[in-house]
Structure formats: structure tokens, C-alpha cells
Amino acid sequence: MRRTKSSLVVGGKTLVVSNLDKVLYPATGFTKAQVIDYYIRIAGVLLPHLKNRPVTLKRYPEGVTGEHFYEKQCPAYRPDWLGTAPIWSEHRGAPINYCLLDDLPSLVWAANLANLEIHTSLALAKDRFRPTVVAFDLDPGPPAGILDCARVAIWLRDLLNKLGLDSFPKTSGSKGLQVYVPLNTLVTYEQTKPFARHIAELLEREHAEQVVSKMSKSLRGGRVFIDWSQNDDHKTTVNVYSLRAKEEPTVSTALTWDEVSRALKHNSPDRLKFLAAAILQRVKTKGDLFSAVLKQKQRLPKLTCLKQHN
């Protein structure tokens, strides 16, 4: 296949982009050009959530129906202006230089590599052991679906509220939901991970037929798994406003709690599914519904306080 290349000037940087007409989502005909266009147009709300966070690339050179691969080490052929974050790897016995997608040219560069999904750390590169949030990943085990996740998300929100914590929902862009608790205070994974696990176990005890907190996949049938294990320095989570490599170009989308409740009330899973084109219009009217995650400061309750809710 003949590779076609062209130049694109972005943020004062000249980028060589290739195969813009290549279809990366065959079911909808969504091309690489459209992927790049989406990331350019969403950058205003996306980039603040990427700033200074190590990124694991997830590349689909042959599109969503082809093979894909993760790339932690930022490629050696990256532009000399693209930032990296050296993170020590115990497994390798050497640092891994993660890409930083801190600006628009960097974001477009990654999109040109068919990096459809953007997976980031819960901590900033400058202090990788201090997460800025607690994340709960709600994953439905068939025949449970996203509406079951919505119900569990509301239970989770209510429990967190009792502990004096605000939380913010988003779709995963796949089959589940995620709930983020902004902290933006001095805290470590040694505090956030046990906290998340305890919350998940508490909800499992209160709603044993609908919720599971254990990792075993054999226990998940018909229930929602609250994955607390994402709260770890070597884990990454799909970033808000990232595309997902599904049949259609779905997006991990920031929600309001009212939207979650209305989807449940109307028994409408489609209310929790968003495609790239819809997100661009949505952001124009609603702004960044996840902005508080970046700046709201909250203190994590001690586990001894949680036991009062058992």
C-alpha cells in the first residue's frame, strides 16, 4: 500500500502526517483525518487533563479491527520538542521515558500514530506516588450493562457524600462507568488504594446481588465489578475525552449526576453513549464537566472513619 504524507502546521510546529484517508473505524468509515480533527477540536478541554501526566500510548495502526499494542516507552523517533517523563521501572531496572502530551502539537503527533486511546496515570509525572484522585472503575458482568453501572454509581456517590466527598462520573466509552473523587492534596497510593477497596467491599456487603469487589471474573456474572485496583502507581486509566477503539468512535465522556439518574429513570442506555461528533457539540454547550477534578481539594477520610459505616 502506498503511504501518502502531507504537512500540517499545529501550534507553530510542522508535523508530517500520513495516510489521512485511512479508515480506522470500518463500521462507520471514521478515518485517521477525522481522529486527528477530533483531537484538535477537543483539545481545549482535554489538554488540561493531560498536563504533566505520563501517557501510555495505545496504537491501532490497522484500525480498531486490527492488532493493537501498548507503548510505554516514548518512541525514539519522537520530535525533539515533545516532552517526556522518566519514570523508574523496578521490572526493567531502568527508567521508562513516557510521552507527555502537554500541548496541541504533541496530541496531534500521537493521533497520527493511530494512538486512538489516551491512558494516563492518576498522578502527575513530577510526583508519581501521589495521586490527585481516587478512581472507581465500574465494569458490568453480562447480562448486566451500563444501566446497572449507573445504579451502582449512584450508590457509590451517596456513600461518598456521607463521608463528605464530592465525586464526578464519566463514561468509560466502552461498557461501563467511572467515578472520580478529586483530592489534589498530599496523599499516596498507600492511602487511596485501601480506601477504594474498602468502599468497594462495603458496597458489596450492602448490595451483594448487584455488586462485586473481588477480582475473580467468575464472580462477575450479572453484577457490577467495582475495580478499586486502578489506584496504583503502575496502572493507567483511560482519560476523559479520549476516543475508544470500539466499533464506533465512542468517547469517555464527563457526565452530570442528573444525566446518570435520568438514564436510569428512562431505562435508556443510549443516554450514556456518546460519539465523537456529539462530544464536540456537547462541550460547546456544557463546557468541561470534569474541570473540578483538576482543582477541587478534598481530604481523604481515614479508614477508621469508614468503619463507622459498616
Side-chain angles (χ1 to χ4, degrees), residues 138 147-157 203 210-211 224 226 264:
L138 310 184
L147 290 180
D148 298 283
C149 291
R151 186 174 296 106
V152 173
I154 288 173
W155 292 337
L156 176 58
R157 176 203 63 186
L203 284 176
Q210 295 92 3
V211 174
V224 173
I226 302 180
L264 264 178

Side-chain angles (χ1 to χ4, degrees), residues 48-122:
H49 294 279
L50 299 180
K51 187 74 172 177
N52 295 322
R53 291 187 190 271
V55 172
T56 296
L57 303 179
K58 190 177 182 183
R59 296 172 57 184
Y60 290 78
E62 301 305 321
V64 298
T65 58
E67 294 185 3
H68 72 275
F69 60 95
Y70 289 91
E71 198 165 19
K72 293 185 176 183
Q73 181 74 38
C74 201
Y77 50 82
R78 66 184 179 270
D80 56 9
W81 43 259
L82 191 136
T84 60
I87 304 293
W88 181 260
S89 169
E90 293 291 343
H91 177 70
R92 294 191 181 192
I96 296 174
N97 286 309
Y98 286 81
C99 295
L100 293 175
L101 305 184
D102 284 354
D103 53 32
L104 186 56
S106 302
L107 189 60
V108 173
W109 171 81
N112 183 59
L113 295 181
N115 181 66
L116 301 183
E117 300 187 0
I118 302 175
H119 292 252
T120 51
S121 168
L122 298 180

Side-chain angles (χ1 to χ4, degrees), residues 138-146 148-149 175-177 220 222-225:
L138 310 184
D139 184 17
I146 197 166
D148 298 283
C149 291
K175 57 185 177 178
L177 294 177
R220 300 183 195 179
R223 296 195 285 178
V224 173
F225 171 51

Side-chain angles (χ1 to χ4, degrees), residues 229-272:
S229 70
Q230 294 298 110
N231 298 280
D232 199 296
D233 68 278
H234 69 274
K235 295 284 188 73
T236 59
T237 306
V238 67
N239 207 89
V240 67
Y241 305 117
S242 170
L243 288 169
R244 297 308 304 268
K246 301 301 174 184
E247 184 177 16
E248 299 176 286
T250 55
V251 175
S252 179
T253 304
L255 302 167
T256 67
W257 282 114
D258 281 346
E259 288 176 313
V260 177
S261 297
R262 286 199 297 269
L264 264 178
K265 179 180 178 180
H266 295 282
N267 194 33
S268 177
D270 287 344
R271 289 174 178 246
L272 300 175

